[in-house]
């Protein structure tokens, strides 16, 4: 192994590989692969990808590509705005692996830091929107609007027959398009129009924008009352920055307030990733989409945070889940919350006032030029009515010549001021219009510090306080902010501490060289609706990445619109349905889903209005081919598709996969492959090879985008040639038909983080990406052969091999000792490890995935911990340890408990804290004891605790 990037990405050294192969009884990696992957689906030739580049070569090449992007002064707005990322947040959060390599906080005891940051986000959203409950982020504003529609639709009175959802024509275009896409499969009629003209008959819900797409701030009280009077609900898409000055929708009757938190210190990034916010009334708390962070108590009665209520409802309720949301935008929500903490209420309001005052100054000067303003009341966006198309083109030519972008529609030019706009910029803006009008006027200096305001003395002026909690009023010096961020980081276990062996989640190395370019201004500061000719650099990256992914999957095209794996499932199913509809097979709505499938599969299918038929699995965990054949033939006339994960959710390459796909095709269906386990396929087999027609790719798994404590994610879909015309369309494109519609707010969704996967492939190259798969399979089989002596392995292939992950069966442990898999998960914290995936896809099991990035030393440490825990369990079984008072039932053990004067346990403090010798070297201390989940759900608190409690904890 050389000193290439691949050598740094892959964990085991050459000498270790030999030892590991010897342990598992394989003569070579090639022999292992031949024993693992069925011969009939193995690729016959290497991937046609470029050779890998060194980090230096790649970054030099990418810098040249970045220079092809033209970063103009952009005032396009429409939900995306330039902002200033405080360096203290960029350096200490965005660029800090302690924050970006952490996993979703399912194991709350070792995630208290990010849970607190997300609770801060919820509190900030609650305060600014004027509603009592909020979630910890959604994917983007447009999909959040779709979630609001679904929430209202499912919340209709039982006797209601209302099927119409009203959307104001003044909502953002991308939001309208995504809502239409969401509505169509469910039989919901979307009516788009003026809110003053609409009848409330048959309407179960409505969506309005405040301020609207033209910047206008309207009084919606009468409209809200009208909708409420007939039993309907109202969602308001809004702007957190505007709500620091505007009366919050929660105060004038909104049932849901949603939007994008992007301008709170997160770059535009050509469309994302950004954390959407979603706040609502208490009535909807059991149906609120996404994750809610709640306050509970730990085993010592101390306050502790956790994910509350429907944390993993897709696995529990499956097709009856209220949403298919599985990935959020945690890292971006954390950045936005830190922006609020850093600036505080006074600081955020001062930023908003500067923006507003500059917009007012520009508005006044444009009016003096004789232009007709469209909006009397506005926050940051000024719209000018222009019927003369020649004049609009002249404004566009002059502005772009000065490297300035405005927003244009048929009879209008609009501009949105943001945090980065200066008085000099405002003067330049006015001068563009003056020049276009042929008026030689002296434009006065427009100072954003003036008191000019159209909001302050109006009925829209906000009078209620916000962000009053101490957390938003304590850390305004950089020293204090740095320490606060570090204090939270220290509470969280991430890849900076140890391997995170989560099955199905692929927590691999997120290399610094892959992430480094996301902060380059040429990529970070690009508006998603900037003219295409200004985004040549992005065009190169995205087109090359599509070509790479097509080669890896064997498909013909890729859509980057889905901004999570579950969104990829949804988009893939919509694409299949659009294909059937193009052939006038509208009746094909039956989807076959194996019983072992990830819970988002049936949830996504339900959102597409499909009829779900479950296919049995056999005793080995494989799809029951006979049952599949019977059900495919039974539903032949109406069969839409099969959803299948490969390798299986059980971590095995099923031998019958090509028979399975042929059965579906022979009965008129398509094959959707869930790409959650692509890390076992790349370079060795492919979705097209096994017979799939479409698959989604979790870029935050196989292709190295960090999980960020629960997002961002990306789930682009690849499709075979016949499905290409039916892929999702750009939300701002016109005239396209027979496609899946728009599934996210921008054409390439979270485009900024595509750079990470692009770098992953460019630096690994054709051999490196293939070796990554080979090493992932090696590491999994090595661990399997060590652990099988202590834990039964639930499923293996016909040659005794697993794919890239394995399932440990703990049912007998539970029966003989009373120890649950949850107890093992908590005890692993005392050893300094995050638990594997718990009770999925089979109850009372642990699913382990080591990935290719972990060294033999780290694999051995994890195995030693699992073996040591097995011995601790045996002590309970043999009655050497008490059945209730033991190291597993009382885990995790905090430092506070261990240094207390009184120790009442039957085992020693040392056994609790330092179960193996190497734990002493770098002990990770959980900050709270075991969290009481039931208490948290019975006593739901999803905002920062009362001030008294905060003061006591931080005294």
């Amino acid at each position: 192994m050389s000193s290439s990037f691949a050598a740094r990405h892959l964990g085991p050294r050459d000498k270790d590989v030999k030892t590991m192969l010897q342990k598992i009884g394989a003569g070579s990696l090639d022999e292992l692969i031949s024993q693992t992957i069925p011969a009939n689906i193995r690729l016959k030739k290497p991937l046609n990808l470029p050779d890998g580049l060194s980090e230096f070569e790649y970054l030099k090449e990418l810098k040249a590509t970045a220079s092809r992007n033209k970063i103009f002064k952009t005032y396009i707005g429409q939900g995306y705005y330039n902002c200033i990322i405080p360096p203290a947040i960029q350096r200490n959060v965005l660029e800090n692996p302690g924050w970006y390599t952490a996993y979703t906080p399912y194991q709350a005891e070792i995630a208290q830091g990010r849970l607190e940051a997300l609770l801060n986000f919820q509190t900030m959203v609650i305060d600014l929107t004027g509603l009592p409950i909020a979630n910890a982020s959604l994917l983007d504003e447009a999909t959040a609007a779709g979630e609001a529609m679904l929430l209202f639709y499912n919340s209709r009175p039982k006797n209601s027959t209302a099927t119409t959802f009203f959307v104001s024509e003044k909502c953002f275009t991308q939001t309208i398009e995504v809502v239409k896409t969401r509505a169509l499969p469910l039989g919901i009629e979307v009516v788009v129009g003026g809110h003053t003209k609409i009848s409330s008959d048959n309407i179960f819900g409505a969506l309005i924008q405040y301020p609207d797409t033209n910047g206008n701030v309207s009084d919606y009280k009468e409209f809200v009352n009208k909708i409420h009077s007939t039993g309907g609900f109202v969602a308001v898409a809004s702007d957190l920055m505007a709500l620091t000055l505007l009366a919050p929708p929660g105060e004038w009757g909104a049932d849901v307030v949603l939007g994008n938190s992007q301008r709170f210190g997160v770059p535009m990034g050509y469309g994302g990733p950004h954390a959407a916010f979603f706040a609502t009334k208490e009535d909807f708390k059991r149906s609120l989409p996404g994750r809610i962070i709640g306050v509970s108590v730990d085993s010592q009665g101390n306050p502790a945070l956790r994910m509350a209520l429907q944390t993993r409802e897709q696995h529990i309720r499956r097709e009856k889940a209220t949403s298919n949301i599985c990935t959020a935008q945690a890292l971006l929500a954390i950045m936005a919350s830190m922006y609020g903490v850093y600036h505080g209420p006074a600081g955020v309001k001062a930023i908003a006032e500067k923006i507003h005052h500059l917009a007012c100054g520009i508005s006044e000067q444009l009016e003096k030029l004789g232009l007709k303003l469209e909006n009397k009341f506005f926050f940051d966006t000024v719209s000018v009515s222009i019927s003369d198309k020649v004049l609009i083109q002249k404004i566009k030519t002059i502005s772009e010549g000065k490297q300035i972008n405005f927003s244009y529609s048929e009879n209008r030019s609009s501009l949105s001021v943001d945090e980065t706009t200066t008085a000099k910029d405002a003067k330049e803006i006015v001068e563009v219009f003056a020049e276009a009008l042929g008026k030689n006027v002296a434009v006065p200096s427009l100072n954003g510090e003036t008191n000019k305001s159209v909001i302050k003395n109006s009925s829209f002026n906000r009078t209620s306080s916000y962000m009053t909690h101490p957390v938003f009023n304590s850390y305004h010096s950089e020293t204090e902010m740095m320490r606060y961020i570090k204090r939270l980081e220290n509470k969280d276990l991430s890849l900076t501490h140890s391997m995170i062996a989560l099955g199905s989640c692929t927590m691999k190395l997120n290399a610094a060289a892959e992430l480094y370019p996301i902060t380059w201004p040429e990529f970070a500061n690009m508006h998603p609706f900037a003219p295409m000719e200004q985004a040549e650099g992005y065009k190169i990256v995205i087109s090359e990445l599509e070509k790479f992914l097509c080669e890896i999957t064997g498909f013909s095209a890729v859509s980057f619109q889905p901004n999570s794996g579950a969104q990829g499932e949804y988009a893939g199913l919509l694409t299949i349905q659009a294909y059937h509809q193009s052939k006038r097979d509208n009746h094909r709505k039956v989807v076959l889903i194996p019983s072992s499938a990830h819970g988002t599969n049936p949830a996504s299918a339900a959102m597409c209005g499909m009829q779900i038929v479950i296919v049995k699995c056999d005793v080995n965990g494989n799809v029951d081919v006979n049952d599949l054949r019977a059900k495919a033939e039974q539903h032949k006339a109406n069969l839409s598709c099969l959803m299948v994960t490969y390798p299986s959710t059980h971590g095995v390459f099923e031998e019958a996969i090509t028979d399975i796909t042929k059965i579906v095709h022979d009965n008129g269906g398509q094959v959707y492959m869930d790409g959650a386990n692509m890390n076992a396929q790349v370079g060795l087999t492919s979705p097209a090879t096994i017979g799939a027609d479409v698959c989604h790719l979790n870029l935050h798994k196989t292709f190295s985008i960090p999980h960020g404590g629960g997002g961002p994610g990306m789930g682009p879909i690849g499709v075979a040639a016949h499905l290409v015309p039916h892929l999702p369309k750009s939300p701002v494109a016109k005239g396209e038909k027979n496609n899946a519609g728009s599934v996210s707010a921008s054409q390439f969704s979270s485009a900024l983080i595509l750079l990470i996967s692009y770098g992953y492939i460019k630096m690994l190259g054709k051999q490196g990406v293939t070796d990554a798969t080979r090493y992932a399979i090696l590491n999994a089989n090595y661990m399997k052969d060590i652990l099988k002596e202590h834990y039964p392995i639930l499923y293996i292939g016909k040659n005794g091999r697993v794919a890239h992950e394995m399932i440990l069966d703990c049912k007998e442990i539970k029966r003989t000792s009373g120890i649950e898999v949850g107890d093992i998960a908590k005890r692993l914290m005392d050893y300094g490890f995050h638990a594997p995936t718990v009770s999925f896809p089979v109850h009372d099991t642990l699913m382990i995935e080591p990935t290719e990035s972990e060294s033999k030393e780290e694999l051995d440490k994890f195995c030693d911990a699992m073996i040591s825990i097995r011995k601790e369990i045996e002590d309970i079984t043999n009655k050497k340890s008490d059945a209730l008072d033991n190291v597993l039932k009382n885990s995790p053990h905090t430092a506070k408990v261990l240094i207390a004067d009184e120790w009442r346990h039957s085992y020693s403090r040392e056994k609790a804290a330092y179960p193996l010798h190497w734990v002493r070297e770098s002990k990770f201390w959980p900050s709270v004891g075991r969290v009481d989940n039931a208490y948290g759900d019975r006593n739901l608190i999803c905002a920062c605790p009362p001030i008294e409690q905060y003061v006591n904890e931080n005294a």
Side-chain angles (χ1 to χ4, degrees):
M1 195 179 287
S2 68
S3 59
S4 65
F5 175 79
R8 283 186 283 276
H9 178 81
L10 302 173
R13 304 296 88 190
D14 289 343
K15 62 180 177 59
D16 296 327
V17 171
K18 292 178 182 177
T19 304
M20 295 163 74
L21 287 169
Q22 187 175 10
K23 169 67 180 173
I24 66 175
S28 66
L29 273 172
D30 288 340
E31 183 181 330
L32 171 63
I33 298 306
S34 70
Q35 295 169 352
T36 306
I37 302 178
N40 67 316
I41 62 167
R42 288 202 296 272
L43 298 180
K44 303 298 187 288
K45 57 183 180 179
L47 292 172
N48 183 22
L49 294 174
D51 291 331
L53 298 174
S54 70
E55 294 173 350
F56 177 78
E57 290 169 332
Y58 168 67
L59 292 173
K60 183 179 178 182
E61 179 185 294
L62 189 63
K63 198 68 177 175
T65 302
S67 68
R68 303 282 294 274
N69 286 334
K70 299 173 184 176
I71 303 299
F72 286 14
K73 289 179 180 176
T74 294
Y75 307 103
I76 295 173
Q78 301 300 302
Y80 302 93
Y81 309 89
N82 278 304
C83 63
I84 298 169
I85 310 174
I89 295 173
Q90 177 170 320
R91 185 72 167 171
N92 296 310
V93 178
L94 178 60
E95 298 175 354
N96 182 349
W99 284 98
Y100 66 70
T101 71
Y103 184 61
T104 304
Y106 290 130
Q107 297 295 336
E109 295 83 359
I110 50 175
Q112 290 295 296
R114 80 197 84 128
L115 285 166
E116 180 173 327
L118 292 171
L119 188 71
N120 293 344
F121 177 81
Q122 291 177 181
T123 303
M124 182 172 72
V125 169
I126 286 168
D127 285 358
L128 290 173
T129 60
L131 286 169
I133 190 168
N135 66 18
S137 77
L138 291 176
L139 299 174
D140 63 24
E141 180 169 339
T143 56
E147 294 290 339
M149 176 181 68
L150 192 60
L151 173 67
F152 293 164
Y153 187 65
N154 292 331
S155 301
R156 295 171 302 164
K158 288 183 179 178
N159 60 352
S160 173
T161 57
T163 56
T164 301
F165 187 69
F166 170 75
V167 180
S168 168
E169 62 191 359
K170 298 297 180 66
C171 288
F172 295 139
T173 300
Q174 65 270 22
T175 300
I176 295 172
E177 291 303 312
V178 170
V179 167
K180 286 179 178 178
T181 299
R182 287 287 188 96
L184 189 61
L186 300 176
I188 297 171
E189 181 188 6
V190 174
V191 173
V192 181
H195 74 278
T196 59
K197 302 172 184 176
I198 190 72
S199 164
S200 59
D201 295 342
N202 200 41
I203 290 178
F204 67 83
L207 175 69
I208 50 182
Q209 192 96 33
Y210 173 83
D212 68 26
T213 187
N214 299 328
N216 197 51
V217 178
S218 299
D219 185 345
Y220 290 115
K221 294 188 190 72
E222 185 178 333
F223 172 77
V224 170
N225 291 337
K226 182 179 180 181
I227 298 296
H228 283 166
S229 68
T230 56
F233 308 108
V234 178
V236 179
S238 194
D239 177 335
L240 292 181
M241 191 65 76
L243 293 181
T244 65
L245 303 183
L246 292 172
E251 292 181 5
W252 42 263
D255 298 290
V256 165
V257 182
L258 59 93
N260 189 352
S261 66
Q262 176 262 317
R263 68 193 311 172
F264 271 45
V266 179
M268 290 186 290
Y270 205 37
H274 308 134
F277 63 88
F278 194 104
T280 189
K281 294 178 176 177
E282 289 276 355
D283 298 351
F284 298 109
K285 67 184 180 184
R286 298 281 167 182
S287 306
L288 182 60
R291 298 164 181 157
I292 305 173
I293 309 307
V295 181
S296 187
V297 295
D298 74 356
S299 52
Q300 310 303 311
N302 298 313
L305 307 178
R306 59 180 281 275
M307 291 202 294
L309 299 177
Q310 69 279 31
T311 293
R312 303 192 78 174
E313 68 155 358
Q314 292 83 13
H315 295 312
I316 299 166
R317 303 190 68 216
R318 299 179 76 79
E319 71 273 11
K320 293 183 174 62
T322 55
S323 168
N324 74 337
I325 292 294
C326 187
T327 301
Q329 299 280 29
L331 184 64
L332 299 314
I334 288 165
M335 288 179 66
S337 78
M338 291 299 184
Y339 182 95
V341 170
Y342 190 48
H343 288 295
V348 173
K349 185 176 182 180
I351 292 167
E353 286 178 335
K354 176 197 167 188
I355 292 169
H356 180 55
H357 296 157
L358 282 172
C360 289
I362 292 168
S363 170
E364 185 178 57
Q365 293 303 313
L366 294 182
E367 201 165 27
K368 285 181 180 178
L369 289 173
L371 292 167
K372 182 183 177 184
L373 302 181
E374 286 201 351
N375 37 0
K376 179 181 178 183
F377 295 105
F378 55 88
F379 167 59
D380 63 354
T381 299
V382 179
S383 290
V384 182
S385 294
I386 304 173
S387 57
D388 185 347
K389 289 183 171 54
V390 175
L391 178 57
I392 286 184
Q393 185 56 50
K394 200 169 183 182
I395 293 168
K396 194 170 188 291
T397 301
I398 293 169
S399 63
E400 290 183 0
K402 296 177 182 292
Q403 297 198 330
I404 293 173
N405 287 326
F406 297 138
S407 180
Y408 304 93
S409 56
E410 191 174 353
N411 297 304
R412 179 185 302 109
S413 177
S414 302
L415 62 98
S416 296
V417 178
D418 59 54
E419 181 184 7
T420 69
T421 310
T422 64
K424 182 182 176 184
D425 295 330
K427 190 171 185 290
E428 273 184 358
I429 290 168
V430 177
E431 287 171 346
V432 167
F433 285 89
E435 184 178 341
L437 291 166
K439 296 187 177 182
N440 187 14
V441 296
V443 179
S445 176
L446 301 174
N447 191 334
E449 302 302 322
T450 65
N451 290 320
K452 191 186 299 293
S453 171
V454 300
I455 293 175
K456 192 169 186 181
N457 297 315
S458 73
S459 61
F460 301 111
N461 185 51
R462 178 168 194 148
T463 57
S464 53
S465 59
Y466 49 86
M467 296 166 65
T468 57
H469 194 275
V471 74
F472 300 112
N473 296 278
S474 302
Y475 307 111
H476 299 157
S477 76
E478 183 166 340
T479 305
E480 288 303 314
M481 186 66 183
M482 173 182 68
R483 289 172 182 158
Y484 177 65
I485 293 172
K486 191 66 179 178
R487 188 157 67 248
L488 296 194
E489 180 195 342
N490 287 342
K491 295 179 179 182
D492 287 8
L493 189 141
S494 69
L495 285 174
T496 62
H497 298 94
S498 55
M499 72 182 290
I500 300 178
L502 282 152
S504 186
C505 296
T506 317
M507 297 292 291
K508 63 168 69 180
L509 170 71
N510 313 123
E514 295 162 2
L515 276 84
Y516 183 53
I518 68 169
T519 58
W520 291 354
E522 300 96 323
F523 290 117
N525 297 340
M526 177 66 69
H527 194 288
F529 303 147
M532 288 294 292
E533 60 270 18
Q534 294 175 22
E536 284 296 321
Y538 262 115
K539 183 179 178 182
I540 291 168
V541 169
I542 291 169
S543 62
E544 277 201 22
L545 181 57
E546 180 180 13
K547 184 173 71 173
F548 297 159
L549 295 178
C550 284
E551 174 64 17
I552 287 167
T553 59
F555 287 139
S556 298
V558 170
S559 169
F560 291 100
Q561 264 201 45
N563 45 11
S564 79
Q567 288 289 87
E569 295 171 9
Y570 179 68
L573 293 176
L574 287 180
T575 300
I576 288 171
Q577 291 303 85
Y579 165 74
H580 285 312
Q581 289 159 12
S582 73
K583 298 175 67 180
R584 301 183 185 277
D585 286 341
N586 297 39
H587 55 282
R588 289 192 174 273
K589 292 186 176 181
V590 171
V591 54
L592 304 177
I593 301 179
S595 59
S596 63
H598 193 280
T600 55
N601 283 191
S604 296
M607 286 174 59
C608 291
M610 302 176 82
Q611 180 188 341
I612 297 160
V613 174
I614 301 300
V615 177
K616 296 176 186 175
C617 287
D618 63 22
V619 293
N620 296 314
N622 300 319
V623 172
D624 185 322
V625 177
N626 290 329
D627 190 53
L628 172 74
R629 182 181 288 108
K631 285 172 177 170
E633 291 175 356
Q634 177 188 349
H635 297 283
K636 182 175 183 176
N638 299 308
L639 183 61
S640 171
C641 62
L642 164 75
M643 296 185 81
V644 64
T645 302
Y646 201 74
S648 73
T649 313
H650 294 142
V652 175
F653 282 96
E654 297 185 44
E655 296 285 330
I657 187 62
T658 52
D659 296 333
I660 288 168
T661 57
K662 185 176 186 301
I663 289 168
V664 175
H665 287 145
D666 287 348
N667 287 280
Q670 297 286 289
V671 175
Y672 170 90
M673 195 199 91
D674 185 314
N677 294 339
M678 266 304 289
N679 211 44
Q681 282 201 42
V682 179
L684 302 178
T685 183
S686 72
T689 301
I690 70 167
D693 300 288
V694 55
C695 83
H696 85 263
L697 302 170
N698 295 95
L699 299 189
H700 53 287
K701 296 184 183 183
T702 304
F703 297 97
S704 217
I705 291 175
H707 284 67
M714 276 289 279
I717 56 170
V719 296
H722 63 284
L723 293 178
V724 173
H726 311 290
L727 283 169
K729 74 178 183 71
S730 166
V732 292
K734 290 181 170 56
E736 299 178 39
K737 295 181 180 179
N738 296 320
N739 55 56
S742 300
V743 296
S744 65
S746 62
Q747 184 172 359
F748 307 109
S749 62
S750 298
L752 182 63
I753 55 174
L754 294 178
L755 292 166
I756 301 167
S757 297
Y758 179 70
Y760 172 86
I761 298 172
K762 289 281 282 189
M763 287 187 283
L764 280 178
K766 60 186 175 186
Q767 188 59 50
V769 296
T770 304
D771 282 343
T773 310
R774 286 149 51 95
Y775 276 58
I777 292 171
L778 171 65
N779 284 0
N781 280 279
Y782 174 70
M783 292 183 74
K784 184 264 293 181
D785 273 24
I786 292 175
L787 293 174
K788 70 180 182 181
E789 306 296 328
H790 309 276
Y791 299 87
I793 308 300
L794 194 55
Y795 300 114
I796 56 175
K798 72 172 187 178
N799 296 317
R801 303 299 186 192
V802 294
H804 63 310
E805 61 190 4
M806 78 213 74
I807 299 176
L808 308 187
D809 188 353
C810 300
K811 293 187 187 70
E812 186 65 13
I813 287 174
K814 179 180 177 180
R815 189 187 69 79
T816 58
S817 68
I819 294 298
E820 308 264 1
V821 285
D823 298 322
I824 298 173
K826 303 310 179 189
R827 180 57 173 159
L828 271 168
M829 297 176 190
D830 290 331
Y831 288 79
F833 284 110
H834 193 291
T837 301
V838 176
S839 284
F840 174 80
V842 182
H843 201 60
D844 296 325
T845 64
L846 295 169
M847 184 159 63
I848 297 173
E849 180 182 357
T851 85
E852 71 275 9
S853 298
E854 297 299 341
S855 67
K856 178 180 177 294
E857 179 185 19
E858 189 70 7
L859 303 180
D860 288 340
K861 278 186 175 182
F862 184 84
C863 288
D864 286 347
M866 290 298 295
I867 293 167
S868 177
I869 289 172
R870 187 69 184 91
K871 290 175 181 174
E872 292 170 351
I873 294 170
E874 287 173 7
D875 285 344
I876 297 168
T877 306
N878 298 330
K879 300 193 176 352
K880 290 181 181 178
S881 296
D882 188 86
L884 297 177
D885 181 32
N886 58 67
V887 287
L888 283 109
K889 288 294 183 184
N890 294 325
S891 60
H893 298 84
T894 64
K896 189 175 180 180
V897 166
L898 285 156
I899 64 171
D901 293 338
E902 191 173 18
W903 181 259
R904 296 183 176 178
H905 300 299
S906 57
Y907 52 91
S908 69
R909 299 178 200 244
E910 183 175 21
K911 184 180 173 88
Y914 302 115
L916 290 172
H917 67 90
W918 46 259
V919 178
R920 293 177 181 275
E921 298 171 11
S922 55
K923 173 70 178 177
F924 178 86
W925 291 102
S927 56
V928 297
R930 194 173 302 197
V931 178
D932 188 332
N933 293 324
Y935 178 93
D937 279 351
R938 288 195 308 271
N939 305 276
L940 182 64
I941 301 171
C942 66
C944 292
I947 290 175
E948 295 77 14
Q949 181 176 310
Y950 180 90
V951 171
N952 292 336
E953 287 176 17
N954 291 274

